[in-house]
Amino acid sequence: MKTAVEIKDLTKRYGDLTALDSISLTVNEGELFGIIGPDGAGKSTLYQILATLLNPNAGSASIFGLDTVKDYRTLRRMIGYMPEKFSLYQDLTVQENLRFFASLFGVSVKDNFNLIAPVFGQLEKFPNRKAGALSGGMKQKLALSCALIHRPSILLLDEPTTGVDAVSRSEFWDILHSLKESRMTILVSTSYMDEATLCDRIAMIDKGHILKTGRPDDLISSIGKNLWQSSAKEMFALLEEYRKMPEVIDCYTFGAYLHIVADDNFNSRIVKDKLSQTFKDFELSKATGTIEDLFIKLSRENHNVL
Ligand code: ADP
């Protein structure tokens, strides 16, 4: 398998703040690879380095063997970059934006239209609408079309689904899967943990550190089986009660429930008998782990280490 992206001990500092702390990562050609982490994790900094717009303080990053610092001129033609902040010209129409991005790379929209056709879809109906007047989902598709118009070898998509409605988010992931079928390498970042399972592999990142890398299913199964969900009328008091139990490793709010990570001494029958006497509407059952559970666990460990 050919390596598409090789990141070695990459560090980026802004003054006293270390945004990326000696991270290493490999992405294979044709992979749909997710960079998953909350705001401030360092995702955009990583993307700016990969897009050759920012130089690291230490370490290196290369794409298809080309160094992002030394070989930036060649690399810029090979990369399709969709930055986190909206990249389009709001006062230009759909068609004008596309033509502009094509002209930057000396290609014509017509020649490469077949590549963007699946993405462009509904936009074809509004060629003269200004980009600023498009819905969030349509803007996102136009931005992706503009990033693709020069037939890049790799797509760097920085939080493309942030602030976009759920239907457009799901359509966007369908598009990424169809692009992947054409062997395009895609590096996509997101702070939506549920999107992790849509990637081939992911790197979980927090405060400039990579917490874990792997296939989403493998990572989820590493959470283990002793995960429980519980609820009652008085949720906060219930949380405090669980946190007092020696067999409870961690307890945190998870949507409408509490999630409880327990050790082998946790006996659900005994806990149920005890807590249902104290708490109204008490419930306790096995929970299915998610990437978010793993993220909470790993980032707590990471914070303890730092
Ligand atoms: P993310 O994309 O995951 O939200 P960023 O890479 O934007 O993370 O930011 C990582 C950290 O670096 C944050 O603490 C952020 O405030 C800081 N940061 C980002 N860009 C700059 C900058 N140009 N100057 C100073 N600090 C910055």
Side-chain angles (χ1 to χ4, degrees), residues 14-15 17-20 37-46 48 54 84 158-159 189 205 208:
Y14 300 109
L17 186 128
T18 304
L20 292 175
D39 283 350
K43 302 184 296 297
S44 294
T45 300
L46 175 61
Q48 286 169 44
L54 200 63
E84 184 195 0
D158 190 7
E159 297 203 38
S189 72
I205 177 169

Side-chain angles (χ1 to χ4, degrees), residues 265-279:
N265 296 320
F266 187 84
N267 184 322
S268 61
R269 222 154 25 93
I270 294 174
V271 172
K272 251 184 210 170
D273 286 349
K274 184 178 158 213
L275 296 185
S276 55
Q277 288 174 24
T278 326
F279 289 93

Side-chain angles (χ1 to χ4, degrees), residues 61-69 71 74-75 78:
S62 65
I63 299 179
F64 294 115
L66 296 167
D67 185 83
T68 54
V69 178
D71 306 313
T74 318
L75 266 184
M78 296 169 58

Side-chain angles (χ1 to χ4, degrees), residues 177-197:
H177 285 120
S178 70
L179 285 170
K180 183 190 138 56
E181 272 164 31
S182 66
R183 296 292 299 155
M184 175 72 77
T185 307
I186 305 170
L187 198 65
V188 56
S189 72
T190 181
S191 56
Y192 298 115
M193 303 275 158
D194 58 323
E195 293 184 340
T197 52

